[in-house]
Amino acid sequence: MELVTCGPDAEELTALPEAGGVRADDGDPAGERYGLEVQSTYVRVWAATVEGAHRGLTSLRQLLNAGLRPDGTAELPPLRVLDAPRYAWRGLSLDVARTFHDADQVVRVLDILSLHKLNVLHLHLTDDQGWRVPITGWPALTEVGGAGALGERPGGWYTPEDINRIVTHARQRFITVVPEIDIPGHCQAVFRSYPELAPTGTAVAGPGPIPIGTLDPDRGITWRFVRDVLTDVARLFPNSAYLHLGGDEAFGIQDDAHAAFVDRARDIACSLDRRVVGWQETARSAIGPQEVVQYWIEATEMREVMDSGALAQMMPESMVAVFTEMMAKAEHDVDRAAGKGASLLLSPTSHLYLDRPYAEESTEPDGEIRRARVGLPVYPPKTVEQIYDWDPAAALNAATTNGSATAAGVEAAVWCETVTSGEDLEFLLLSRLSGIAERTWSPRNAGHWDEYRTRLAIQSSAWVRRGWTFFPSSLVAWPATVPA
Ligand code: TNX
């Protein structure tokens, strides 16, 4: 392994195409480039940075998986590659609020990301069902707000030591942990902890899966709370250049008050020397080129869901009306964000929400049982192949009316309403996340399902060795026996 900063090897790396978008740690996207050469007498990995060398060693690991023989030795083909990512921000958003995934499980997820050369873990730390991060001066947030999860599931929260372990494990693998505090909606856990922050009158709870009622921008205590929370979160997650402010599904607040809320929260984040990322609803505030907007509402699929009547089965009519209004308002968010110069983090529901059922059968009976239970029934099921057949640039283009938006990067998302354990979580990630990871790294049109499915099958031996749960899709010819 060599670090090269000048000479022909370095120049070859410099000539590689530039990654699109921004990095979550503000680093140089060129830092991930590497070269890898295999000859009969040596293997050489070179890069301008340790990070680039790490990515190169990850590719070497994947090649070793592919060439592994039953006796534990491996044969590698001679090759020489120069490699660089397509996007600078390649992540996974993980919901630890609806189900609490402890630090051990988060570390397992980080290992999955690392093996796929993903470089961001976005932690959705707070939601109606739970608050997972300790804040100085607000002990009830974890003691009360962190005590539960969705339904009767056990609660929990990360201690500062847990967070330090997660951030350190991530940093060693060149992954940035981006923390999300979801405000001003999705705050029922805050209201349970501190009723003085809760809305009064009719703007409380409400029927259906997503409660009505937000933080009140007209109360002084709200802003003391927001400042204290963002201050501690910025300190606990030091390698993220961004704080994620949520901003989604803030039902029960007027549009102008929502925009003003986001603006004021962003000012606080900026005073802490952090930039802001928010769900696409934040495009309606006074954002600019420094901001990242996370596009999630994929209109075509959402319209199908609405038209199918699936929502009406899940919630009362009054809530269906709230959702219909939300969809209508969302229609121009991507254009709005682009018009203001912000870049877009791509997480369209239709392909990047991994909390959807698998459409194809599992090759194993246990997988069939889990497949029937895991994934939100409201989303149309999709196969491993359908998720792989996706292109970020085409998706962004389809979401704008004039095709002028700029991608910050790509983030898959896994929400945990139907995920009750680490096994459920890994089952949803592996292997649709593998396909997304390839789309974020490799050049456009680089892979095709018919050859990808073979590569995917080969990589599963590494998952089995690590004890990761995965969905054995019937569309893939998985190896029958896996070397130990
Ligand atoms: C919408 S995505 C949500 C989440 C849910 C998810 C289920 C987003 C910004 N809000 O609160 O968990 O759908 O897929």
Side-chain angles (χ1 to χ4, degrees):
M1 202 180 86
E2 261 173 77
L3 291 184
V4 295
T5 47
C6 57
D9 284 336
E11 279 159 28
E12 268 188 318
L13 292 180
T14 312
L16 290 170
E18 251 176 60
V22 296
R23 280 180 59 137
D25 66 349
D26 245 354
D28 178 2
E32 297 195 283
R33 298 165 176 191
Y34 69 87
L36 168 63
E37 188 175 357
V38 178
Q39 291 295 343
S40 58
T41 52
Y42 66 89
V43 174
R44 183 170 169 249
V45 173
W46 67 100
T49 65
V50 179
E51 178 180 35
H54 175 78
R55 300 289 179 236
L57 288 172
T58 303
S59 291
L60 179 59
R61 258 186 181 182
Q62 290 166 337
L63 285 168
L64 288 168
N65 289 332
L68 199 60
R69 292 182 292 220
D71 68 357
T73 61
E75 188 168 335
L76 300 183
L79 57 87
R80 186 174 195 276
V81 291
L82 298 169
D83 199 13
R86 181 174 173 192
Y87 291 102
W89 184 315
R90 307 178 309 279
L92 172 72
S93 167
L94 171 63
D95 172 12
V96 296
R98 274 58 176 269
T99 288
F100 177 64
H101 300 289
D102 65 15
D104 286 340
Q105 184 61 47
V106 176
V107 162
R108 289 172 70 96
V109 171
L110 285 168
D111 290 343
I112 292 175
L113 300 191
S114 176
L115 191 62
H116 289 88
K117 300 198 198 83
L118 293 168
N119 65 2
V120 175
L121 176 66
H122 159 182
L123 283 181
H124 183 74
L125 289 165
T126 70
D127 211 305
D128 298 311
Q129 294 82 0
W131 182 281
R132 311 294 178 210
V133 56
I135 304 298
T136 314
W138 301 82
L141 285 173
T142 44
E143 282 163 19
V144 177
L150 186 73
E152 300 302 308
R153 295 173 202 168
W157 66 90
Y158 305 112
T159 62
E161 293 72 34
D162 288 334
I163 294 173
N164 188 40
R165 180 179 160 217
I166 290 167
V167 168
T168 304
H169 194 86
R171 189 190 275 131
Q172 287 164 348
R173 286 152 188 79
F174 301 93
I175 297 170
T176 305
V177 185
V178 176
E180 178 186 350
I181 301 297
D182 200 351
I183 50 177
H186 286 284
C187 277
Q188 298 294 322
V190 176
F191 307 152
R192 285 196 296 282
S193 314
Y194 291 96
E196 59 272 41
L197 287 165
T200 48
T202 51
V204 265
I210 300 166
I212 307 272
T214 69
L215 289 165
D216 180 353
D218 295 329
R219 277 183 233 170
I221 188 174
T222 296
W223 295 104
R224 197 152 26 92
F225 167 77
V226 172
R227 175 168 287 282
D228 287 354
V229 169
L230 296 185
T231 303
D232 270 14
V233 168
R235 187 175 46 76
L236 287 165
F237 295 88
N239 63 339
S240 180
Y242 289 82
L243 296 178
H244 198 306
L245 300 182
D248 62 310
E249 298 175 322
F251 301 142
I253 187 169
Q254 296 296 315
D255 292 351
D256 53 350
H258 174 264
F261 191 107
V262 173
D263 286 340
R264 190 158 170 189
R266 186 183 50 250
D267 287 347
I268 295 173
C270 290
S271 75
L272 297 164
D273 210 18
R274 292 299 194 283
R275 290 211 287 277
V276 160
V277 46
W279 296 107
Q280 70 179 70
E281 290 93 324
T282 60
R284 305 163 203 169
S285 69
I287 51 167
Q290 293 300 304
E291 271 74 53
V292 170
V293 168
Q294 193 160 10
Y295 156 52
W296 65 281
I297 303 173
E298 202 280 320
T300 309
E301 182 180 85
M302 287 304 196
R303 227 171 276 129
E304 262 168 51
V305 168
M306 304 293 290
D307 293 347
S308 72
L311 282 189
Q313 282 169 11
M314 283 172 62
M315 56 183 83
E317 225 172 277
S318 58
M319 263 325 270
V320 175
V322 170
F323 268 86
T324 308
E325 195 191 340
M326 173 179 111
M327 299 301 164
K329 283 183 195 163
E331 217 170 300
H332 301 293
D333 285 336
V334 174
D335 282 342
R336 255 182 221 122
K340 294 173 183 180
S343 56
L344 286 130
L345 186 54
L346 308 181
S347 305
T349 40
S350 56
H351 282 82
L352 293 207
Y353 272 34
L354 296 179
D355 54 318
R356 79 173 55 238
Y358 284 98
E360 73 271 43
E361 282 180 10
S362 159
T363 58
E364 284 168 15
D366 281 0
E368 275 303 274
I369 294 168
R370 205 186 293 274
R371 182 170 81 92
R373 182 170 56 76
V374 177
L376 273 181
V378 66
Y379 295 123
K382 284 209 168 133
T383 64
V384 175
E385 179 180 1
Q386 284 171 309
I387 298 300
Y388 179 67
D389 280 333
W390 178 77
D391 180 63
L396 181 56
N397 207 38
T400 58
T401 54
N402 56 15
S404 68
T406 306
V410 178
E411 250 188 30
V414 61
W415 302 95
C416 290
E417 288 93 338
T418 64
V419 173
T420 55
S421 64
E423 285 88 10
D424 286 355
L425 175 63
E426 293 169 11
F427 181 84
L428 285 178
L429 297 181
L430 295 170
S431 66
R432 290 184 296 197
L433 182 65
S434 314
I436 295 167
E438 179 161 314
R439 295 304 182 200
T440 69
W441 181 284
S442 300
R444 191 169 192 174
N445 301 326
H448 298 280
W449 170 253
D450 283 334
E451 51 82 29
Y452 170 74
R453 72 206 291 206
T454 311
R455 290 189 279 123
L456 186 65
I458 290 168
Q459 291 305 317
S460 69
S461 59
W463 312 341
V464 172
R465 277 197 306 281
R466 288 166 172 79
W468 295 340
T469 300
F470 71 99
F471 167 67
S473 162
S474 53
L475 301 179
V476 176
W478 305 102
T481 53
V482 183

